Amino acid sequence: MASLVQHLGLFLLFFVPLPLVSCHSHHHPLDFLTPSEFHQVQAIVNGSNPGSSHNVTFQYVGLDEPDKPALLSWLSNPNSTTLPPPRRAFVITRLHSQTHEIIVDLSTQSIVSDKVYSGHGYPLLTSEEQTAASELPLTYPPFIASIRKRKLKLSDVVCSTFTVGWFGEEKSRRVLKILCFYTDGTANLYMRPIEGVTIVVDLDEMTITEYYDRLTAPVPEAEGTEYRLSKQKPPFGPRLNGVSAMQPDGPGFKIDGHNIRWANWDFHVSFDARAGLIISLASIYDLQKRTFRRVLYRGYLSELFVPYMDPTEEWYYKTFFDLGEFGFGLCTVPLQPLADCPSNAVFMDGYYAGQDGKPVKISNAFCIFEQQAGRIMWRHTEIEIPGEEIREVRPEVSLVVRMVATVGNYDYVLDWEFKPSGSIKLGVGLTGILEVKGVSYTHTSQIKEDVYGTLLAHNTIGVNHDHFLTYHLDLDVDGDANSFVKANLETKRVKDNISPRKSYWTVVSETAKTESDAQIQLGLKPAELIVVNPNKKTKLGNYVGYRLIPGSLSSPLLSDDDYPQIRGAFTKYDVWITPYNKSEKWAGGLYMDQSRGDDTLAVWSQRNREIENKDIVLWYTIGFHHVPCQEDFPVMPTLSGGFELRPTNFFERNPVLKTKPPTYVHWPNCTTKS
């Protein structure tokens, strides 16, 4: 949903130092840009526009990642004197109502290219322009009159920005809609919308160009909407006892720059203004082969599509693409030690470029911690051997990298969990505040028409909506030449009366030749989906691979010709496979604001390129249909989902068979690690 733009500047949390991080004089080629590099980019870009530098706005500044073959070649020769790939920045600016795409070479302090974008859509919104736009109504006489008409206090009104989408218009301007909320009696402003008033702001001119006051609806009451602990009144729920993660020997992982090594895993973490957390170069150590083997070249959340299901004039445009419009990195919030992350967590900061190009720091942008939550890695009890009982149990310890992005009312918790077994679990948590609509109803018996949601409290409808999170997963399973296999589970009839059984199921494998072969709507028929390396086999002759274990299945229900679904056509299939292409990073296209669906994953795949034994990318969408309920009011308990990438014939046998469990000393009333 739309961003309440003040949040990035309001967090001043105590910074937890990184005792494990060593300093480097040289950057890893995939490290995100440093504060000094942001300053360099700012100076170079402004220097190329003499006399106009005060009018240049930086909409996005990020690493122009090296070409993959060049980077892999450099990484494969760690002792070589060959220089790493050139370090460059990709910059999107606005100047004189035009969008510029600029590549800056940081090593030569020069601009490699500068071209004007002439296609559809606009770049990432900045926090600064959203703040400026949201403040305009507070001094606008027609809006002040509307507030007085509703007998509200202007001093308790807070406004926020909403993207306008695209609904078939031939021409467009770079505009936002502004909606406002009432904070009298509560900090939970999203539960007190001021319905019927819509303001349109032209961002290039930073002026109000349209104003509508179409209807008046009751502002939902403040009582019962507070979520701050300091504002709660008795009776209280049970007090939860704390659980401490004790690691007397310190963390089991090491951080070297932005490389993390833990157990049998080695990978790189990075940060981007649009994607937020990025995981790269994940490899796992094979004990039998005595070498690290590649698993994931680069993985990140590519887009988040959140369409609301109210088609009325005041709501129809609320169909958000949170990464491409607001930026998950820009909306990343500092993590709170001991609450967002456990006591054994180590924190890392993130940086992005502000609208003026200067670096903005997000303290504690993500955390890394080892987790043992009572789960079992593997176990077996054997009682069939006469006179003997065998019980073998291995507790599971995993490593988690976490970030949280607050995009307006919703908070998204994203986890990357690495397991010694070789699995990578990606977790998604949805919490925060619902998007609600002010109405006249106080009881469901009064409702005679479709209100597009659930009555949660007096005068408060929680509107139905979806969340579709599309991940970009460039798997390199034991190398970059991979194939996608659908292992279909098919029912067979028993023939020739060879058994009392009538049927069984078997596996019929099918290798996708082209992109269209790999477009999967999950749930239509049983299948295991595996990315294999067709050039590598186990000793027994099986292709090495990694399997996708899907999460919750929620396919889009909008019609294909509906404008939001045209823009979000990348959600039509749960799984897509494309050949690697450096420019194909964002499932909804590079310019998401007011996009028209002409630069999406669905459009790229129409070329139907060959994908067998190629460097391929897996795109996976996890979806949630959200019908709000009263338990979601006034703040929503975390709704969790996720999926897993699991080794399948990647190892010769169980890779954690010889993993040593933690050792413990047992005391009368406690258990502590020795």
CSV table of all heavy atoms in Angstrom, one decimal, residues 144-192:
chain,number,residue,atom,x,y,z
A,144,ILE,N,-9.1,22.5,3.7
A,144,ILE,CA,-9.4,23.0,5.0
A,144,ILE,C,-10.9,23.2,5.2
A,144,ILE,O,-11.4,22.8,6.3
A,144,ILE,CB,-8.7,24.4,5.2
A,144,ILE,CG1,-7.2,24.1,5.2
A,144,ILE,CG2,-9.1,25.0,6.5
A,144,ILE,CD1,-6.4,25.4,5.2
A,145,ALA,N,-11.6,23.6,4.2
A,145,ALA,CA,-13.1,23.7,4.2
A,145,ALA,C,-13.7,22.4,4.4
A,145,ALA,O,-14.7,22.2,5.1
A,145,ALA,CB,-13.6,24.4,3.0
A,146,SER,N,-13.2,21.3,3.7
A,146,SER,CA,-13.8,20.0,3.8
A,146,SER,C,-13.6,19.4,5.2
A,146,SER,O,-14.4,18.7,5.8
A,146,SER,CB,-13.1,19.0,2.8
A,146,SER,OG,-13.4,19.4,1.5
A,147,ILE,N,-12.4,19.7,5.9
A,147,ILE,CA,-12.2,19.3,7.2
A,147,ILE,C,-13.1,20.0,8.2
A,147,ILE,O,-13.7,19.3,9.1
A,147,ILE,CB,-10.7,19.5,7.6
A,147,ILE,CG1,-9.8,18.7,6.7
A,147,ILE,CG2,-10.5,19.2,9.1
A,147,ILE,CD1,-10.0,17.2,6.8
A,148,ARG,N,-13.3,21.3,8.0
A,148,ARG,CA,-14.2,22.0,8.9
A,148,ARG,C,-15.7,21.5,8.7
A,148,ARG,O,-16.4,21.4,9.7
A,148,ARG,CB,-14.2,23.5,8.6
A,148,ARG,CG,-12.8,24.1,9.0
A,148,ARG,CD,-12.7,25.6,8.6
A,148,ARG,NE,-11.5,26.2,9.1
A,148,ARG,CZ,-11.1,27.4,8.6
A,148,ARG,NH1,-11.7,28.0,7.6
A,148,ARG,NH2,-10.0,27.9,9.2
A,149,LYS,N,-16.0,21.2,7.5
A,149,LYS,CA,-17.4,20.7,7.2
A,149,LYS,C,-17.6,19.4,8.0
A,149,LYS,O,-18.8,19.1,8.5
A,149,LYS,CB,-17.6,20.4,5.7
A,149,LYS,CG,-18.9,19.9,5.3
A,149,LYS,CD,-19.1,19.7,3.8
A,149,LYS,CE,-18.2,18.6,3.3
A,149,LYS,NZ,-18.5,18.3,1.9
A,150,ARG,N,-16.6,18.6,8.2
A,150,ARG,CA,-16.7,17.3,8.9
A,150,ARG,C,-16.5,17.5,10.4
A,150,ARG,O,-16.5,16.5,11.2
A,150,ARG,CB,-15.7,16.3,8.3
A,150,ARG,CG,-16.0,15.8,6.9
A,150,ARG,CD,-14.9,15.1,6.3
A,150,ARG,NE,-15.3,14.4,5.1
A,150,ARG,CZ,-15.4,15.0,3.9
A,150,ARG,NH1,-15.2,16.4,3.8
A,150,ARG,NH2,-15.8,14.4,2.8
A,151,LYS,N,-16.3,18.8,10.8
A,151,LYS,CA,-16.1,19.1,12.3
A,151,LYS,C,-14.9,18.4,12.8
A,151,LYS,O,-14.9,17.9,14.0
A,151,LYS,CB,-17.4,18.8,13.1
A,151,LYS,CG,-18.6,19.6,12.7
A,151,LYS,CD,-19.8,19.3,13.5
A,151,LYS,CE,-20.9,20.3,13.3
A,151,LYS,NZ,-21.3,20.5,11.9
A,152,LEU,N,-13.8,18.3,12.1
A,152,LEU,CA,-12.6,17.7,12.5
A,152,LEU,C,-11.5,18.8,12.7
A,152,LEU,O,-11.7,19.9,12.2
A,152,LEU,CB,-12.1,16.7,11.4
A,152,LEU,CG,-13.0,15.6,11.0
A,152,LEU,CD1,-12.4,14.8,9.9
A,152,LEU,CD2,-13.4,14.7,12.2
A,153,LYS,N,-10.5,18.5,13.5
A,153,LYS,CA,-9.4,19.4,13.8
A,153,LYS,C,-8.3,19.2,12.8
A,153,LYS,O,-7.7,18.1,12.7
A,153,LYS,CB,-8.9,19.3,15.2
A,153,LYS,CG,-9.9,19.6,16.3
A,153,LYS,CD,-9.3,19.4,17.7
A,153,LYS,CE,-9.1,17.9,18.0
A,153,LYS,NZ,-8.6,17.7,19.4
A,154,LEU,N,-7.9,20.3,12.1
A,154,LEU,CA,-6.9,20.2,11.1
A,154,LEU,C,-5.6,19.8,11.7
A,154,LEU,O,-4.8,19.0,11.0
A,154,LEU,CB,-6.7,21.6,10.4
A,154,LEU,CG,-5.7,21.6,9.2
A,154,LEU,CD1,-6.2,20.7,8.0
A,154,LEU,CD2,-5.5,23.0,8.7
A,155,SER,N,-5.3,20.1,12.9
A,155,SER,CA,-4.0,19.8,13.6
A,155,SER,C,-3.9,18.3,13.8
A,155,SER,O,-2.8,17.8,14.0
A,155,SER,CB,-3.9,20.5,14.9
A,155,SER,OG,-5.0,20.2,15.8
A,156,ASP,N,-5.0,17.5,13.7
A,156,ASP,CA,-5.0,16.1,13.9
A,156,ASP,C,-5.1,15.3,12.6
A,156,ASP,O,-5.4,14.1,12.6
A,156,ASP,CB,-6.1,15.6,14.9
A,156,ASP,CG,-5.8,16.1,16.3
A,156,ASP,OD1,-4.6,16.0,16.7
A,156,ASP,OD2,-6.8,16.4,17.0
A,157,VAL,N,-4.9,16.0,11.5
A,157,VAL,CA,-5.1,15.4,10.2
A,157,VAL,C,-3.7,15.0,9.7
A,157,VAL,O,-2.7,15.9,9.7
A,157,VAL,CB,-5.8,16.3,9.2
A,157,VAL,CG1,-5.7,15.7,7.8
A,157,VAL,CG2,-7.2,16.5,9.6
A,158,VAL,N,-3.5,13.8,9.2
A,158,VAL,CA,-2.2,13.3,8.6
A,158,VAL,C,-2.6,12.8,7.2
A,158,VAL,O,-3.5,12.1,7.0
A,158,VAL,CB,-1.6,12.2,9.4
A,158,VAL,CG1,-0.3,11.7,8.7
A,158,VAL,CG2,-1.2,12.8,10.8
A,159,CYS,N,-1.8,13.2,6.2
A,159,CYS,CA,-2.0,12.7,4.8
A,159,CYS,C,-0.9,11.8,4.3
A,159,CYS,O,0.2,11.9,4.8
A,159,CYS,CB,-2.2,13.9,3.9
A,159,CYS,SG,-3.6,15.0,4.4
A,160,SER,N,-1.3,11.0,3.4
A,160,SER,CA,-0.3,10.0,2.8
A,160,SER,C,-0.5,9.9,1.3
A,160,SER,O,-1.5,10.3,0.8
A,160,SER,CB,-0.5,8.6,3.5
A,160,SER,OG,0.5,7.8,3.1
A,161,THR,N,0.5,9.3,0.6
A,161,THR,CA,0.5,9.2,-0.8
A,161,THR,C,0.1,7.9,-1.3
A,161,THR,O,0.4,6.8,-0.8
A,161,THR,CB,1.9,9.5,-1.3
A,161,THR,OG1,2.8,8.6,-0.7
A,161,THR,CG2,2.3,10.9,-1.0
A,162,PHE,N,-0.7,7.9,-2.5
A,162,PHE,CA,-1.2,6.7,-3.1
A,162,PHE,C,-0.9,6.8,-4.6
A,162,PHE,O,-1.2,7.8,-5.2
A,162,PHE,CB,-2.7,6.5,-2.9
A,162,PHE,CG,-3.0,6.2,-1.4
A,162,PHE,CD1,-2.9,7.2,-0.5
A,162,PHE,CD2,-3.5,5.0,-1.0
A,162,PHE,CE1,-3.3,7.0,0.9
A,162,PHE,CE2,-3.8,4.7,0.3
A,162,PHE,CZ,-3.7,5.7,1.2
A,163,THR,N,-0.4,5.7,-5.2
A,163,THR,CA,-0.2,5.7,-6.6
A,163,THR,C,-1.5,5.6,-7.3
A,163,THR,O,-2.4,5.0,-6.8
A,163,THR,CB,0.8,4.6,-7.0
A,163,THR,OG1,0.4,3.4,-6.4
A,163,THR,CG2,2.2,4.9,-6.6
A,164,VAL,N,-1.5,6.1,-8.6
A,164,VAL,CA,-2.8,6.2,-9.3
A,164,VAL,C,-3.1,5.0,-10.2
A,164,VAL,O,-4.2,4.8,-10.8
A,164,VAL,CB,-2.9,7.5,-10.1
A,164,VAL,CG1,-2.8,8.7,-9.1
A,164,VAL,CG2,-1.9,7.6,-11.2
A,165,GLY,N,-2.0,4.2,-10.5
A,165,GLY,CA,-2.2,3.1,-11.4
A,165,GLY,C,-2.4,3.5,-12.9
A,165,GLY,O,-2.0,4.6,-13.2
A,166,TRP,N,-2.9,2.6,-13.7
A,166,TRP,CA,-3.2,2.9,-15.1
A,166,TRP,C,-4.4,2.2,-15.5
A,166,TRP,O,-4.6,1.0,-15.2
A,166,TRP,CB,-2.0,2.5,-16.0
A,166,TRP,CG,-2.3,2.6,-17.4
A,166,TRP,CD1,-2.4,3.7,-18.2
A,166,TRP,CD2,-2.6,1.5,-18.4
A,166,TRP,NE1,-2.7,3.5,-19.5
A,166,TRP,CE2,-2.8,2.1,-19.6
A,166,TRP,CE3,-2.6,0.1,-18.2
A,166,TRP,CZ2,-3.1,1.3,-20.7
A,166,TRP,CZ3,-2.9,-0.6,-19.3
A,166,TRP,CH2,-3.1,0.0,-20.6
A,167,PHE,N,-5.4,2.9,-16.1
A,167,PHE,CA,-6.7,2.3,-16.5
A,167,PHE,C,-7.0,2.7,-17.9
A,167,PHE,O,-8.2,3.1,-18.2
A,167,PHE,CB,-7.7,2.8,-15.5
A,167,PHE,CG,-7.4,2.2,-14.1
A,167,PHE,CD1,-6.6,3.0,-13.2
A,167,PHE,CD2,-7.9,1.0,-13.7
A,167,PHE,CE1,-6.3,2.4,-11.9
A,167,PHE,CE2,-7.6,0.5,-12.5
A,167,PHE,CZ,-6.8,1.2,-11.6
A,168,GLY,N,-6.1,2.5,-18.8
A,168,GLY,CA,-6.3,2.7,-20.2
A,168,GLY,C,-6.1,4.1,-20.8
A,168,GLY,O,-6.3,4.3,-22.0
A,169,GLU,N,-5.6,5.0,-19.9
A,169,GLU,CA,-5.3,6.4,-20.4
A,169,GLU,C,-4.3,6.4,-21.5
A,169,GLU,O,-3.3,5.7,-21.4
A,169,GLU,CB,-4.9,7.3,-19.3
A,169,GLU,CG,-5.9,7.3,-18.1
A,169,GLU,CD,-5.7,6.3,-17.0
A,169,GLU,OE1,-4.9,5.4,-17.3
A,169,GLU,OE2,-6.3,6.4,-16.0
A,170,GLU,N,-4.4,7.2,-22.5
A,170,GLU,CA,-3.4,7.3,-23.6
A,170,GLU,C,-2.3,8.2,-23.1
A,170,GLU,O,-1.1,7.9,-23.5
A,170,GLU,CB,-4.1,7.9,-24.8
A,170,GLU,CG,-5.0,7.0,-25.6
A,170,GLU,CD,-4.2,5.8,-26.1
A,170,GLU,OE1,-3.1,5.9,-26.5
A,170,GLU,OE2,-4.8,4.7,-26.0
A,171,LYS,N,-2.5,9.2,-22.3
A,171,LYS,CA,-1.5,10.1,-21.8
A,171,LYS,C,-1.5,10.1,-20.3
A,171,LYS,O,-2.6,9.9,-19.7
A,171,LYS,CB,-1.7,11.5,-22.4
A,171,LYS,CG,-1.5,11.6,-23.9
A,171,LYS,CD,-1.6,13.1,-24.3
A,171,LYS,CE,-1.4,13.2,-25.8
A,171,LYS,NZ,-1.5,14.6,-26.3
A,172,SER,N,-0.4,10.4,-19.7
A,172,SER,CA,-0.3,10.4,-18.3
A,172,SER,C,0.6,11.5,-17.8
A,172,SER,O,1.5,11.9,-18.6
A,172,SER,CB,0.1,9.1,-17.7
A,172,SER,OG,1.4,8.8,-18.1
A,173,ARG,N,0.4,12.0,-16.6
A,173,ARG,CA,1.4,12.9,-16.0
A,173,ARG,C,1.9,12.2,-14.7
A,173,ARG,O,1.3,11.2,-14.2
A,173,ARG,CB,0.6,14.2,-15.6
A,173,ARG,CG,0.2,15.0,-16.7
A,173,ARG,CD,-0.7,16.2,-16.2
A,173,ARG,NE,-1.9,15.7,-15.6
A,173,ARG,CZ,-2.4,16.2,-14.5
A,173,ARG,NH1,-1.9,17.3,-13.9
A,173,ARG,NH2,-3.5,15.7,-14.0
A,174,ARG,N,3.0,12.6,-14.2
A,174,ARG,CA,3.5,12.0,-13.0
A,174,ARG,C,2.8,12.6,-11.8
A,174,ARG,O,3.2,13.7,-11.3
A,174,ARG,CB,5.0,12.3,-13.0
A,174,ARG,CG,5.8,11.5,-11.9
A,174,ARG,CD,7.3,11.5,-12.2
A,174,ARG,NE,7.9,10.7,-11.1
A,174,ARG,CZ,8.5,11.3,-10.0
A,174,ARG,NH1,8.4,12.6,-9.9
A,174,ARG,NH2,9.0,10.6,-9.1
A,175,VAL,N,1.8,11.9,-11.4
A,175,VAL,CA,0.9,12.4,-10.3
A,175,VAL,C,0.8,11.3,-9.2
A,175,VAL,O,1.0,10.1,-9.4
A,175,VAL,CB,-0.5,12.8,-10.8
A,175,VAL,CG1,-0.4,13.9,-11.8
A,175,VAL,CG2,-1.2,11.6,-11.4
A,176,LEU,N,0.4,11.8,-8.0
A,176,LEU,CA,0.0,10.9,-6.9
A,176,LEU,C,-1.4,11.4,-6.4
A,176,LEU,O,-1.8,12.5,-6.6
A,176,LEU,CB,1.0,11.0,-5.8
A,176,LEU,CG,2.3,10.4,-5.9
A,176,LEU,CD1,3.2,10.8,-4.7
A,176,LEU,CD2,2.2,8.9,-6.0
A,177,LYS,N,-2.1,10.5,-5.8
A,177,LYS,CA,-3.3,10.8,-5.1
A,177,LYS,C,-3.0,10.9,-3.6
A,177,LYS,O,-2.2,10.1,-3.1
A,177,LYS,CB,-4.5,9.8,-5.3
A,177,LYS,CG,-5.0,10.0,-6.8
A,177,LYS,CD,-6.3,9.1,-7.0
A,177,LYS,CE,-6.9,9.4,-8.3
A,177,LYS,NZ,-8.1,8.6,-8.6
A,178,ILE,N,-3.6,11.9,-2.9
A,178,ILE,CA,-3.4,12.1,-1.5
A,178,ILE,C,-4.7,11.8,-0.8
A,178,ILE,O,-5.7,12.3,-1.1
A,178,ILE,CB,-2.9,13.5,-1.2
A,178,ILE,CG1,-1.7,13.9,-2.1
A,178,ILE,CG2,-2.6,13.7,0.3
A,178,ILE,CD1,-0.5,13.1,-1.9
A,179,LEU,N,-4.6,10.9,0.2
A,179,LEU,CA,-5.7,10.6,1.1
A,179,LEU,C,-5.3,11.0,2.5
A,179,LEU,O,-4.1,10.9,2.8
A,179,LEU,CB,-6.1,9.2,1.0
A,179,LEU,CG,-6.6,8.7,-0.4
A,179,LEU,CD1,-7.0,7.2,-0.3
A,179,LEU,CD2,-7.7,9.5,-1.0
A,180,CYS,N,-6.3,11.3,3.4
A,180,CYS,CA,-5.9,11.8,4.7
A,180,CYS,C,-6.6,11.0,5.8
A,180,CYS,O,-7.7,10.3,5.5
A,180,CYS,CB,-6.3,13.3,4.8
A,180,CYS,SG,-5.4,14.3,3.6
A,181,PHE,N,-6.1,11.1,7.0
A,181,PHE,CA,-6.5,10.3,8.1
A,181,PHE,C,-6.6,11.2,9.4
A,181,PHE,O,-6.0,12.3,9.4
A,181,PHE,CB,-5.6,9.1,8.3
A,181,PHE,CG,-5.4,8.3,7.1
A,181,PHE,CD1,-4.4,8.6,6.2
A,181,PHE,CD2,-6.1,7.1,6.9
A,181,PHE,CE1,-4.2,7.8,5.1
A,181,PHE,CE2,-5.9,6.3,5.8
A,181,PHE,CZ,-5.0,6.7,4.9
A,182,TYR,N,-7.3,10.7,10.4
A,182,TYR,CA,-7.5,11.5,11.6
A,182,TYR,C,-6.9,10.8,12.8
A,182,TYR,O,-7.2,9.6,13.0
A,182,TYR,CB,-9.0,11.7,11.8
A,182,TYR,CG,-9.4,12.8,12.7
A,182,TYR,CD1,-8.9,14.1,12.5
A,182,TYR,CD2,-10.3,12.7,13.7
A,182,TYR,CE1,-9.2,15.2,13.3
A,182,TYR,CE2,-10.7,13.7,14.5
A,182,TYR,CZ,-10.1,15.0,14.3
A,182,TYR,OH,-10.5,16.1,15.1
A,183,THR,N,-6.0,11.5,13.5
A,183,THR,CA,-5.3,10.9,14.6
A,183,THR,C,-5.8,11.3,16.0
A,183,THR,O,-5.1,11.0,17.0
A,183,THR,CB,-3.8,11.3,14.5
A,183,THR,OG1,-3.7,12.7,14.6
A,183,THR,CG2,-3.2,10.8,13.1
A,184,ASP,N,-6.9,12.1,16.1
A,184,ASP,CA,-7.4,12.5,17.4
A,184,ASP,C,-7.7,11.2,18.2
A,184,ASP,O,-8.6,10.4,17.8
A,184,ASP,CB,-8.6,13.3,17.2
A,184,ASP,CG,-9.1,13.9,18.5
A,184,ASP,OD1,-8.3,14.0,19.5
A,184,ASP,OD2,-10.4,14.1,18.6
A,185,GLY,N,-7.0,11.0,19.3
A,185,GLY,CA,-7.3,9.9,20.2
A,185,GLY,C,-6.6,8.6,19.9
A,185,GLY,O,-6.7,7.7,20.7
A,186,THR,N,-5.7,8.6,18.9
A,186,THR,CA,-5.0,7.3,18.5
A,186,THR,C,-3.8,7.6,17.6
A,186,THR,O,-3.9,8.6,16.8
A,186,THR,CB,-6.0,6.3,17.9
A,186,THR,OG1,-5.2,5.1,17.6
A,186,THR,CG2,-6.5,6.9,16.6
A,187,ALA,N,-2.8,6.8,17.7
A,187,ALA,CA,-1.7,6.8,16.8
A,187,ALA,C,-2.0,5.9,15.6
A,187,ALA,O,-1.3,6.0,14.6
A,187,ALA,CB,-0.4,6.4,17.4
A,188,ASN,N,-3.1,5.2,15.6
A,188,ASN,CA,-3.5,4.2,14.6
A,188,ASN,C,-4.3,4.9,13.5
A,188,ASN,O,-5.5,4.7,13.4
A,188,ASN,CB,-4.2,3.0,15.2
A,188,ASN,CG,-4.3,1.9,14.2
A,188,ASN,OD1,-4.0,2.0,13.0
A,188,ASN,ND2,-4.7,0.7,14.7
A,189,LEU,N,-3.6,5.8,12.8
A,189,LEU,CA,-4.3,6.7,11.8
A,189,LEU,C,-5.0,5.9,10.7
A,189,LEU,O,-6.0,6.4,10.2
A,189,LEU,CB,-3.3,7.7,11.3
A,189,LEU,CG,-2.1,7.1,10.5
A,189,LEU,CD1,-2.2,7.3,9.0
A,189,LEU,CD2,-0.8,7.7,11.0
A,190,TYR,N,-4.4,4.7,10.3
A,190,TYR,CA,-5.1,4.0,9.2
A,190,TYR,C,-6.4,3.5,9.6
A,190,TYR,O,-7.2,3.2,8.7
A,190,TYR,CB,-4.2,2.8,8.8
A,190,TYR,CG,-2.9,3.3,8.2
A,190,TYR,CD1,-1.7,3.2,8.9
A,190,TYR,CD2,-2.9,3.9,6.9
A,190,TYR,CE1,-0.5,3.6,8.3
A,190,TYR,CE2,-1.7,4.3,6.4
A,190,TYR,CZ,-0.5,4.2,7.0
A,190,TYR,OH,0.7,4.6,6.5
A,191,MET,N,-6.8,3.4,10.9
A,191,MET,CA,-8.1,3.0,11.3
A,191,MET,C,-9.1,4.2,11.3
A,191,MET,O,-10.3,4.0,11.6
A,191,MET,CB,-8.1,2.4,12.7
A,191,MET,CG,-7.5,1.0,12.7
A,191,MET,SD,-8.5,-0.2,11.7
A,191,MET,CE,-7.2,-1.3,11.1
A,192,ARG,N,-8.6,5.4,11.0
A,192,ARG,CA,-9.5,6.6,11.0
A,192,ARG,C,-9.4,7.3,9.6
A,192,ARG,O,-9.0,8.5,9.6
A,192,ARG,CB,-9.2,7.5,12.1
A,192,ARG,CG,-9.2,6.8,13.5
A,192,ARG,CD,-9.5,7.8,14.6
A,192,ARG,NE,-10.9,8.2,14.6
A,192,ARG,CZ,-11.3,9.3,15.3
A,192,ARG,NH1,-10.5,10.0,16.0
A,192,ARG,NH2,-12.6,9.6,15.3
